[in-house]
Amino acid sequence: QVPLKPGRSLMDWIRLTKSGKDLTGLKGRLVEVTEDELAKHNKKEDCWICIRGFVYNVTPYMEYHPGGEDELMKAAGTDGTDLFDQVHRWVNYESMLKECLVGRMAVKPIAAPKEVSSTLSEEKKQLNGMLPEKKILGASAKDLTPSYDWFQTDSLITVVIYTKQKDMNAELVIVDCQDKQLRGEIIVDDHSYLVEVDLDHAVQEDVSVNIAEKVGKVDITLKKKDNIHWKMLGQPLESHNTFIKRTDRGLFYRKCKLVSKMEVTHDTKLLCLMLPKSTHLRVPTGQHVYLKQIIAGTEVVKPYTPVLPFLLLDFKQPSHHDGAHIYLMIKIYSCGLFTQALDHLQIGDYISVSNPEGKFKKSQVQTSEDLFLLAAGTGFTPMVKLLNFALTEVRCLRAVKLIFFNKTEDDILWRNQLEQLALKDERFEVQFVLSQPTKDWMGKQGKISSSLLSEFVKRSRKDSKVLICICGPTPFTEQGVQYLKDLGYSQEEIHAFTA
């Protein structure tokens, strides 16, 4: 992100879009744009960009873009869909840029999705003998695609999804049942399988999900509102029974109720959101969700990483996280449009929460001996579940070290809990670094630097397997990654959390 000039905030942009000013330069006409025409509009003062077949004049938006003008200029006069998806596919550009719409591309520039089977290896196709023998010969991608069936009793409807995966777990299954629409999504690596139907009859609110992990069978059980015989499960919706790349799927939201709000520091709060009874969703370690709010008539979306309600100090107790709640640690900025709106939510209010996203995989931790966590401010949030997972479930870890950068002592999130955890588990060590300490501060001070990292990030033995996770404001993360590479750590040993 780059600092915006005064009068160039998101709220200022929303006001401009509602002012009636012509932001396209076409006096309200929509035109069909050829590739040649698009290519001509490639300067800062005349910049058109195509996203998913629609062309926008982003010239008036230049000074309002949080990522800066240079980011927008990378796609000037071209199809910026791929670039957009890499950086912020979660942004609702249709809502933000609707007043900048020039028109459609004359030829749809989106390439057809690649055949799924090309990404799947022969070994995987055979699924270790899980398919009937006759299918193994010449097994095609179709044999690998999950499938579904359904059956009923007098009072229940059960939808069965055969995932054809050996290690299914609760984090790979997302189920929602809203207004008679059932949506069941199964995550298979970077693909997703979807069952999505408009149910034939009404069902009760609570939905139960049962996963046979070893054989990869998922049962979704719904209670009928009326004990009548269903002739069919329901009408298939557009994406029903599809198996595509997750990035092509689009985000799905459900409304969650705010059930509690607690102060963590002077400007940071812990929000507890309750999932609907008809939703089954577990946010995996290291992944984030998006919150969506309508502010001044415009959809605004921001990513947040769920945390635990507190750090687990007693590792003998089972995980208290019940799956019905999502906890978010959110810093409230005095001039932040989105966080101010979050702060004004009352207990009982609702907010839209998306499916989880993120590239982090637990296996990166499970093979490590030394785990280093570098966090600045609320960049601490991905580290919470990561710390808990590492110390409770990863036996091969020798040392876990958190280097936590903040401005002042008052900004340190969960300081007391972190110090307690360090006393409780000898593998864990925490180091606080302040950039604006008082004269009483006895600890480390300064900002992230090569010398500071060389002091704290050290392998426990010469060839030990290391994972270094880093999260914070973009400049902190980018500088940190560069310093670590300069110190000899490889790209594979570094994971940067970015949304």
Side-chain angles (χ1 to χ4, degrees):
Q1 293 207 341
V2 298
L4 296 170
K5 293 177 191 166
R8 294 293 181 271
S9 70
L10 176 58
M11 195 66 223
D12 293 313
W13 171 251
I14 291 172
R15 280 196 201 102
L16 178 61
T17 63
K18 298 200 181 326
S19 67
K21 193 175 174 189
D22 176 17
L23 298 183
T24 62
L26 297 172
K27 298 188 173 63
R29 284 182 304 123
L30 287 179
V31 296
E32 203 170 55
V33 183
T34 63
E35 282 191 25
D36 289 346
E37 182 62 29
L38 177 64
K40 291 175 192 168
H41 301 269
N42 62 356
K43 299 176 221 41
K44 262 186 190 162
E45 59 282 359
D46 177 22
C47 181
W48 290 8
I49 291 175
C50 170
I51 305 175
R52 298 198 215 294
F54 289 94
V55 178
Y56 297 90
N57 177 1
V58 296
T59 314
Y61 184 57
M62 283 282 174
E63 293 189 345
Y64 297 85
H65 185 238
E69 296 178 355
D70 292 347
E71 280 299 308
L72 282 177
M73 287 306 296
K74 286 180 185 171
T78 67
D79 182 355
T81 306
D82 287 348
L83 195 67
F84 177 85
D85 283 348
Q86 284 167 29
V87 182
H88 28 34
R89 104 184 166 85
W90 43 273
V91 172
N92 189 333
Y93 62 89
E94 295 105 328
S95 181
M96 296 279 283
L97 297 176
K98 62 179 178 242
E99 298 304 324
C100 301
L101 181 64
V102 170
R104 276 180 182 273
M105 284 299 287
V107 182
K108 215 173 177 193
I110 303 165
K114 289 191 180 69
E115 184 60 34
V116 169
S117 59
S118 63
T119 60
L120 301 167
S121 65
E122 282 302 321
E123 293 84 0
K124 196 136 184 215
K125 284 181 185 172
Q126 295 187 13
L127 293 168
N128 305 322
M130 279 172 62
L131 291 177
E133 276 182 15
K134 66 176 189 296
K135 282 196 178 177
I136 288 176
L137 298 170
S140 67
K142 205 165 180 61
D143 296 327
L144 255 187
T145 302
S147 60
Y148 81 101
D149 201 352
W150 72 283
F151 56 87
Q152 61 184 312
T153 64
D154 287 346
S155 58
L156 300 176
I157 294 286
T158 302
V159 178
V160 186
I161 301 176
Y162 304 98
T163 71
K164 306 179 186 174
Q165 299 295 308
K166 272 183 118 171
D167 44 4
M168 254 305 113
N169 65 62
E171 292 180 348
L172 302 174
V173 180
I174 305 167
V175 176
D176 289 273
C177 195
Q178 302 173 356
D179 306 322
K180 266 185 68 189
Q181 289 193 354
L182 173 69
R183 185 184 193 279
E185 185 173 1
I186 307 294
I187 308 301
V188 181
D189 299 324
D190 61 350
H191 282 70
S192 104
Y193 174 73
L194 193 63
V195 167
E196 193 172 32
V197 289
D198 199 346
L199 295 169
D200 211 27
H201 297 281
V203 292
Q204 292 178 36
E205 196 183 4
D206 45 341
V207 170
S208 75
V209 175
N210 189 43
I211 301 161
E213 298 194 359
K214 295 283 185 286
V215 294
K217 185 166 78 81
V218 176
D219 290 343
I220 303 167
T221 305
L222 312 165
K223 292 178 186 163
K224 293 178 178 178
K225 266 234 167 100
D226 305 302
N227 290 1
I228 53 176
H229 184 78
W230 289 26
K231 290 195 170 65
M232 58 190 285
L233 181 60
Q235 289 296 330
L237 295 168
E238 192 183 351
S239 299
H240 176 63
N241 203 20
T242 55
F243 187 46
I244 61 173
K245 278 206 149 165
R246 287 177 74 183
T247 47
D248 295 336
R249 183 66 79 193
L251 289 169
F252 182 82
Y253 288 85
R254 74 280 302 145
K255 284 197 172 350
C256 296
K257 186 196 276 188
L258 178 65
V259 291
S260 74
K261 202 193 281 194
M262 281 170 49
E263 284 205 359
V264 180
T265 66
H266 61 101
D267 64 357
T268 304
K269 301 205 170 150
L270 185 69
L271 273 51
C272 176
L273 304 175
M274 186 164 73
L275 289 162
K277 273 187 178 174
S278 55
T279 292
H280 166 96
L281 183 151
R282 306 279 185 277
V283 182
T285 298
Q287 293 200 9
H288 52 270
V289 295
Y290 298 102
L291 301 189
K292 180 168 72 175
Q293 298 192 89
I294 308 286
I295 300 174
T298 297
E299 270 190 10
V300 186
V301 177
K302 284 276 189 294
Y304 291 98
T305 305
V307 297
L308 299 170
F310 48 80
L311 288 172
L312 276 184
L313 300 177
D314 181 1
F315 295 134
K316 289 186 281 296
Q317 72 182 65
S319 175
H320 54 276
H321 194 47
D322 53 9
H325 297 93
I326 289 178
Y327 293 88
L328 299 167
M329 199 182 280
I330 292 175
K331 184 169 181 166
I332 311 296
Y333 293 94
S334 58
C335 54
L337 187 65
F338 197 88
T339 60
Q340 284 294 324
L342 278 182
D343 198 30
H344 288 122
L345 287 177
Q346 302 297 308
I347 304 301
D349 285 349
Y350 286 84
I351 185 157
S352 296
V353 179
S354 79
N355 285 1
E357 291 229 319
K359 296 184 173 68
F360 186 81
K361 292 195 166 44
K362 279 182 179 175
S363 54
Q364 295 168 259
V365 186
Q366 286 163 324
T367 54
S368 299
E369 295 165 87
D370 299 331
L371 176 63
F372 295 96
L373 310 174
L374 310 178
T378 47
F380 170 61
T381 54
M383 309 308 178
V384 174
K385 281 189 174 181
L386 196 47
L387 259 180
N388 181 55
F389 171 69
L391 293 173
T392 51
E393 295 186 45
V394 185
R395 295 281 165 257
C396 57
L397 272 172
R398 281 200 178 81
V400 180
K401 193 167 189 176
L402 170 67
I403 300 113
F404 196 0
F405 296 81
N406 284 282
K407 285 181 182 171
T408 69
E409 276 187 85
D410 291 341
D411 294 323
I412 301 173
L413 302 166
W414 282 359
R415 179 180 181 177
N416 193 23
Q417 289 192 47
L418 288 165
E419 289 174 339
Q420 289 281 323
L421 185 57
L423 291 171
K424 196 104 185 174
D425 192 314
E426 59 189 21
R427 292 171 300 165
F428 177 62
E429 183 187 337
V430 61
Q431 183 74 48
F432 301 114
V433 184
L434 301 183
S435 60
Q436 297 172 13
T438 60
K439 57 181 186 302
D440 306 331
W441 176 249
M442 304 297 286
K444 274 277 164 197
Q445 48 184 287
K447 293 191 171 181
I448 193 165
S449 65
S450 191
S451 59
L452 199 139
L453 292 181
S454 64
E455 185 182 340
F456 291 127
V457 182
K458 290 178 183 159
R459 297 177 197 272
S460 58
R461 23 181 211 89
K462 205 174 98 188
D463 56 349
S464 67
K465 284 191 173 171
V466 170
L467 178 65
I468 307 164
C469 295
I470 182 165
C471 187
T474 306
F476 169 88
T477 305
E478 288 175 352
Q479 285 171 351
V481 169
Q482 193 52 55
Y483 293 142
L484 290 166
K485 287 180 176 172
D486 293 345
L487 290 169
Y489 294 98
S490 69
Q491 186 68 58
E492 290 68 46
E493 294 174 318
I494 303 166
H495 182 88
F497 286 104
T498 52

